[in-house]
Amino acid sequence: MSIGARWRPWPAIRLDVAVASLFLVLCTSPPIFAAETIERPSKWIGRVAASDAVFGWPGSGFTLRFEGTSLSITLVDAGQNSLEIELDGVPQRLDLQAGQHRYQLADGLQQGAHVVRATRRTEGWIGDTLFVSAETDGSFLPAEASAEEMVAIGDSITAGYGVEGVGPGCKFTPGTENQYLTYAAVAARSLGMELTTLAVSGIGLSRARKGTKTMLDVIDNGTLSRSGAPGLPDERVSAVVINLGTNDFSDGKNPSDFGGEYAKLLSRLRYQFPKAYLYAALGPMMPQKDFDTAENAIKAAVQTSVAKGESRLRYLNLRVKPKDFGCNWHPSRSTQAAMADLLEQAIKADRGRHG
């Protein structure tokens, strides 16, 4: 039974990959000719609750590297999440069904080594996804070493809320969300960087909204709903982009504690990512007056950190002029792409400056 996988207009599709990709189906029978089965992937992608084999942050998921002609996976999900499946670099959408199901990701491939990347299009509040197993008719291979890494921290803009909807009037559904099309994901792919996205729609940093968790409350979680321990210093991460403030300053708000909370976040990130360049970004939503207030607060936090000796930190304006909108006035695919260009240019410039 087809689960609604659909093609997008991606160029230069190899015939063997295109044919194999047609097998993104929900399987109702036991796996056939499974030469090897594993209960953990070759590599996790992004922030996950690895001990429980659960992933929930947008853009999180796993890599499977295998030698063979077929591949299937078994997952448990609540039934509203979708994944971006990249088979040898060719992306396709996979909608998950409620409960435990096996999904045939490839069949009839040419014999040889292949790589599948599976990442969540959807964010954490929609529910976690459990990795149960993967099966191939050949054998699984060790994952290749990671390249440079990027971390993106933000709200609905960074999660990809409504990016595939035709806005601004369309209502959000999980089907309109796609982290794969966000500015951070597009820039990371262009730069050859692995990405971890920590984003929650509606989140901010100010504690003025009583009873609402802030990014500092959840940033260490394995998934949005599963607590985690603060990460140890990670020198593999070379860029961190923070796009927070939209929910703190919208509708004329100007929370007095924002600057202090932002400073706490910068301090935590500098400890955890000692070699990374930090980009304190903002945009593209909010009326000009609210944007100016938020921008001034973020710039002040940046200037304070720089005055204390921080040398790899700068403000990044991502307020591009939209040509169109996603759902509820959120950035469309074209706006996200324009933001990605700005982020990529900044990272390239700072790579050259700092080597």
Side-chain angles (χ1 to χ4, degrees), residues 205-239:
L205 280 171
S206 171
R207 298 188 181 277
R209 296 182 297 170
K210 294 182 179 180
T212 302
K213 288 187 176 181
T214 76
M215 180 54 72
L216 283 169
D217 295 321
V218 302
I219 195 170
D220 294 321
N221 285 10
T223 72
L224 183 60
S225 61
R226 294 171 184 253
S227 61
L232 297 173
D234 187 349
E235 296 186 352
R236 297 170 298 177
V237 175
S238 59

Side-chain angles (χ1 to χ4, degrees), residues 86-134:
E86 295 174 87
L87 172 58
D88 293 337
V90 178
Q92 193 176 8
R93 172 175 172 164
L94 173 64
D95 293 318
L96 301 182
Q97 305 298 299
Q100 179 170 315
H101 295 283
R102 185 169 65 90
Y103 303 88
Q104 191 77 33
L105 301 187
D107 201 2
L109 291 173
Q110 291 183 359
Q111 187 66 45
H114 302 279
V115 178
V116 163
R117 286 174 53 92
T119 53
R120 284 176 58 110
R121 295 160 49 95
T122 41
E123 60 183 292
W125 64 265
I126 298 171
D128 292 340
T129 305
L130 170 67
F131 180 94
V132 178
S133 64

